[in-house]
Each structure stands twice: as C-alpha cells, then as structure tokens.
Amino acid sequence: MDTTRRSLLTALLAGGLNPELLALGLSADGFASDAPELAPFRGLDGEGLDTASAIVEGRLPTALRGRYFRNGPGLMQRADQRYRHWFDGDGFMQAWTLGDGRASHRGRFVQTDKFRAEQQAGRFLLPAFGTAINAERPVRGPDSLNVANTSVLLQGDRLYALWEGGSAHELDPATLATRGVKTWSAELRGMPFSAHPKVEADGTVWNFGTANGRLAVYQIDAAGSVRRHAVLDVGAPAMLHDFVVSQRHLVFLLAPITMDMAAVRAGASMVDAMGWNPAGPTRVLVIDKADFSRQRIFEMPAALVFHFGNAWDDGRMLRLDYVESVPLPQFNVAAEQIMRGQRTAREVSMPRVLEIDLQTGRLRVAARDEAVEFPVVDPRVVAQRHRFVWYPTAVDTGARWGFNGLMRLNIETGARERFSFGADTVVEEHVLVARPGSTKEGEGWLVGMGYDIKRQRSFLSVFDAMALAAGPVARAWLPYWVPYGFHGRFYAT
Ligand SMILES: [Fe+2]
C-alpha cells in the first residue's frame, strides 16, 4: 500500500459509536416524520423489487425503446442504527425496460463487499461518509467502504454502479447481478473512478477520481479501454463530485473545503471533519484535453458546486453551466435532517453560467434564482455548444421538501419552460432521450422518476422535452415506492 492510499484510508476510517441519534430522542427506527414527502428516506431492507408490467397512464411513445438505469442510496438503517447522511445509503440500482408502449421495473442492491457482510450480520460493520461506525472488518482501501450508490454507466454488456470515493462496480445489465469491482488497468487498481463520467457523442468517456489531494483523470474509448490517464497534484478538495468537458478542456471547480484530519483520527466522520472557508476562493482548474500537463487555474468567490450541465469553448471563450449549492455546513446539515425525517431550511441551489475569457483570464458569472438541481443536457451536445438544460425545479412548494416540477432553460436567451405536478409529487432527475432519427438538440423525451406523496407510489414520467408545459405524455406506475435516487442514464435498444 502506498502512502497516498494509507492517508486516504486514515481519512475514511472512523471509530467510535456516535450516541447522537439516541440524544435526538427519535423513534425506535431513528426516523420520526410528519412530513409525508420524506417517507422514501426510510429506505428498503436490502431485498430486490420487480414489476413485470407497470400500469401505464397516457401513452408511452412506441419509439421510446430501451433501458433506463438509475442508482441511489437505498438502505438507510440496520438493526437500531440509522445512517446520518443521505449519501451514506447503500446503492440500489433500478432498471426500467421500455418498449411497445409497456414498462417493466427491477431494483437490486449492489452486492458490494460491505453490503454482503452487513446484510449477513444484520447490522453495520463499517464507517460511512457521514456516519462514524466502528470498523469491525478490515479496511484495505476505499473499496472496503464503497457503497456504489451514485450513478451508472453502460458500456456494451457492462453496467457500472458508480461511487465518488472508489472503484466502479460491474453489474449484469439484464439481471442487475453484481459481477465485482472494475479495474480499468493494473496501474489504476483501486483508484477512485467518480460518479460523473462525461460521454461524448463518439463514445469517448472522460472521468476523474480524487485521492489525498491528487486528481486522476481518465480518457476511455467507447470499447472500454483506457486511452490515457494521469494523476495530478492539484490540491483537490476532500469532496469533488462532478466536472465538465468542452471541446478542448476538462474543467473542475475546486471548492474551499477544509478537512480536520485530527478529528478524523479521533473518530469523526468525513462529514463532521469537513469545514468551509467562506473567504474562498473556489479555484477553476482548466486542463488541456490534448495534454494533461497543460493546466491553468483561475479564481472565483467561494462556491459549492455538485453538478454541471455542459461546457463549450471556441479556443478563446470557455462557457459552462452549473448549479450552485448552498455552502457547507448548511448542505450537510440538510442532508442529515432529511435522514431523520425533518424538513430542511428553504435555502436552495440555483443555475449559473460561467464564462471564462482564456486570453484575459476574466471570469463572469450569470446567476438565476430558480430552485433546481440535477441538470441534464442532450447527450448529443456533450462537450459541444448547447442551448438547453433541463432540471427538476420547485414551483410554489411552500414548506414542503423537494422538487415538484421540471424546467427547461435556454442558457443563451434565458427563456424557460416549466411544468408543475402540484403539491403532492416529488420530482427526481429526468434525462434527455433523443428521438430516433432526429438530429436537433432537444428533439426527444425527458424521462425520469417521481414519488406521489398521497398514493405512496413511485412512477416513471415521460415528457416531450421541448413541450414540458403540456405535461407528461405518459406515466408508468409502480405498485410500491422506491427510495429517492441520484442519477440515471437511458440506453436505447
Ligand atoms: Fe451527482
């Protein structure tokens, strides 16, 4: 084990049971909520779910054929112990199969080493990102703690469940059975492969991973072979979730997150050891795609960013859009509140467009004030000039938690189109699916999931991506609810 790995291990290791749950006076299962929209945060018990034929409301387009994979934290509690942070939950992979106007659904927990051991023991045995738990099993590296809960990538017959802090887990795309940890090449064994790979129209995959301040960057071809990689000493923060790719550049926003290593060694979770320097800056790292050693750093005011839409550049101007989150510690406070069944403060994340003049070094940020997250773009425009970004959004939700609508924003004109499901629905990420035979950006469907609070059922909804205001063209209803997920991808068949 090299010293980098050992340091990361130290950072991930946490000891000492935290009595905070008991002190909070929660119910026996640690989840006491009178906010019905938070019910899916109770999580599942580790078993799979299947629906051979979902009930379809409206008409699923016959040309919409394929598989929609979606990942998220699915198990939140074992015995009397509950994870504290939304990001801790063990990965629950879902697959919707659409075609001929029909929809079926399958959900399986990713059988990570951690999950299998804990499922057998009936209790948690290892620390999580936001929950200090004594390690009762050997921690040999980040993958000993991997929960595979964040996103997905399909290459041929290989489906990957992705997690920011460790390796991808390979799954069978038909059965969702777990095949094991993915090693891209011998020298990259165990190096984190983050949950937000960018896939260009020709199938080229760009991704990154961070370990102990270093940043690994990957270029992988459509067949799954690593073409190039590098490990860069850039002082990467302890939490770096996403990045963005333009024609010529890889762009990272390195937030001013601090990490109290003494607290980690004393048993604090990663979340509890994290701090925030509001004086900033957030560093903008721009890496030349053709030569990873060519890097530039710009600075902007402190900003916490989880997700990007897309980027493009013409060699002189680099433009990208992202969603600015609430800073730390507020973000983590909210992610812990919902795990206890408590509504969060009304601070929200909002759209931004950043323009960088690569010749003068001047930065300009355009801000909007809609509450959004989980931005997506048309997969045909990744790393190319784009106009449209789609997001879940909140439309007059009042005190209620979560998004209830969808928004399409034209980032060039500022024009937006929205749809609201009203008070009783929580809307999750929706992805853009190109209509077969179409070529124009936005021609296709917006496909994603949501939760009906009154019916206590989850659904898949399908919109005409350029006519959101007309409402969903179809919804496919499950006979059960599933936990709220993070990210998905659609693969046409
Ligand atoms: Fe994400």
Side-chain angles (χ1 to χ4, degrees):
M1 183 187 299
D2 64 26
T3 51
T4 300
R5 180 72 58 71
R6 197 173 298 118
S7 300
L8 177 67
L9 243 176
T10 308
L12 287 166
L13 267 170
L17 283 168
N18 194 322
E20 190 169 330
L21 274 183
L22 295 173
L24 286 166
L26 297 178
S27 62
D29 68 355
F31 188 91
S33 182
D34 54 7
E37 74 276 14
L38 298 177
F41 285 111
R42 286 184 182 278
L44 300 174
D45 62 4
E47 301 299 319
L49 295 169
D50 289 276
T51 296
S53 188
I55 294 171
V56 176
E57 183 184 293
R59 288 178 80 89
L60 284 168
T62 51
L64 179 61
R65 301 184 65 88
R67 291 174 295 187
Y68 175 46
F69 298 105
R70 187 166 162 73
N71 197 359
L75 182 141
M76 309 303 196
Q77 175 159 344
R78 293 188 185 276
D80 60 353
Q81 189 169 23
R82 189 168 175 79
Y83 285 138
R84 292 181 62 204
H85 197 287
W86 189 17
F87 296 0
D88 295 347
D90 296 271
F92 181 65
M93 179 68 81
Q94 302 178 65
W96 285 87
T97 303
L98 305 179
D100 302 323
R102 300 159 66 94
S104 64
H105 176 263
R106 168 168 290 183
R108 292 289 183 277
F109 279 88
V110 183
Q111 303 290 308
T112 62
D113 284 351
K114 174 182 184 301
F115 179 87
R116 281 188 284 121
E118 292 180 339
Q119 192 74 356
Q120 190 168 16
R123 61 197 173 86
F124 292 133
L125 302 172
L126 288 159
F129 173 68
T131 310
I133 298 169
N134 269 331
E136 295 184 44
R137 285 170 56 81
V139 179
R140 299 191 173 91
D143 287 333
S144 296
L145 310 177
N146 195 326
V147 290
N149 71 359
T150 311
S151 188
V152 304
L153 179 69
L154 183 75
Q155 284 192 309
D157 183 41
R158 298 163 187 267
L159 175 68
Y160 299 111
L162 306 177
W163 182 62
E164 181 171 323
S167 303
H169 276 76
E170 185 183 327
L171 277 57
D172 181 319
T175 64
L176 302 185
T178 302
R179 292 173 176 158
V181 165
K182 170 68 175 180
T183 299
W184 295 98
S185 67
E187 57 193 318
L188 291 167
R189 183 181 301 277
M191 194 70 197
F193 185 83
S194 93
H196 281 282
K198 296 292 175 281
V199 184
E200 295 196 48
D202 69 356
T204 299
V205 175
W206 300 90
N207 202 9
F208 72 96
T210 63
N212 201 32
R214 298 195 303 168
L215 177 73
V217 291
Y218 303 79
Q219 181 187 354
I220 296 168
D221 67 20
S225 297
V226 177
R227 308 308 298 185
R228 292 190 300 144
H229 71 276
V231 180
L232 311 172
D233 282 306
V234 296
M239 186 167 67
L240 184 62
H241 186 70
D242 192 4
F243 75 135
V244 75
V245 179
S246 71
Q247 288 97 325
R248 296 168 184 81
H249 305 287
L250 314 176
V251 187
F252 297 83
L253 295 190
L254 309 176
I257 295 169
T258 60
M259 181 60 64
D260 182 345
M261 292 307 296
V264 171
R265 282 189 289 272
S269 72
M270 292 272 284
V271 164
D272 286 339
M274 258 182 215
W276 179 253
N277 178 9
T282 283
R283 291 176 296 143
V284 182
L285 171 64
V286 178
I287 300 174
D288 190 326
K289 281 164 89 172
D291 178 355
F292 296 153
S293 71
R294 292 180 59 179
Q295 303 156 22
R296 296 181 67 182
I297 298 257
F298 305 92
E299 292 189 352
M300 56 186 273
L304 182 63
V305 174
F306 284 95
H307 296 126
F308 296 85
N310 191 33
W312 80 91
D313 76 86
D314 59 13
R316 172 175 173 153
M317 298 298 289
L318 173 61
R319 300 172 188 84
L320 57 102
D321 70 278
Y322 60 90
V323 175
E324 182 169 345
S325 179
V326 295
L328 302 179
Q330 289 96 312
F331 177 85
N332 284 329
V333 168
E336 293 178 344
Q337 284 177 309
I338 53 180
M339 288 290 279
R340 298 193 295 265
Q342 297 170 354
R343 286 175 171 158
T344 61
R346 298 310 298 163
E347 294 153 336
V348 295
S349 47
M350 294 177 286
R352 301 282 184 265
V353 176
L354 170 63
E355 196 172 87
I356 305 170
D357 186 323
L358 295 169
Q359 291 189 347
T360 66
R362 199 173 62 90
L363 272 61
R364 201 161 58 100
V365 177
R368 299 181 64 96
D369 61 5
E370 294 99 346
V372 299
E373 249 300 349
F374 304 112
V376 304
V377 298
D378 188 321
R380 292 171 291 197
V381 302
V382 169
Q384 304 294 323
R385 185 167 185 162
H386 70 297
R387 288 178 297 160
F388 303 125
V389 187
W390 290 262
Y391 319 79
T393 190
V395 184
D396 301 327
T397 45
R400 213 209 71 186
W401 179 86
F403 301 115
N404 65 341
L406 291 163
M407 179 170 91
R408 176 172 59 88
L409 177 65
N410 183 326
I411 61 167
E412 292 190 349
T413 66
R416 71 173 194 196
E417 181 187 27
R418 295 195 303 177
F419 174 78
S420 170
F421 279 99
D424 298 323
T425 300
V426 175
V427 178
E428 304 183 76
E429 180 192 76
H430 277 53
V431 299
L432 193 294
V433 182
R435 191 188 312 274
S438 72
T439 54
K440 270 174 62 180
E441 180 188 1
E443 280 185 336
W445 302 282
L446 202 62
V447 177
M449 289 186 69
Y451 174 69
D452 186 298
I453 297 164
K454 286 214 165 113
R455 295 167 70 172
Q456 298 176 44
R457 296 285 183 269
S458 298
F459 62 83
L460 173 129
S461 52
V462 178
F463 288 77
D464 179 333
M466 296 301 289
L468 296 186
V473 296
R475 279 204 276 181
W477 288 90
L478 295 176
Y480 40 73
W481 58 266
V482 294
Y484 294 127
F486 289 142
H487 302 290
R489 287 179 189 265
F490 190 96
Y491 294 93
T493 51

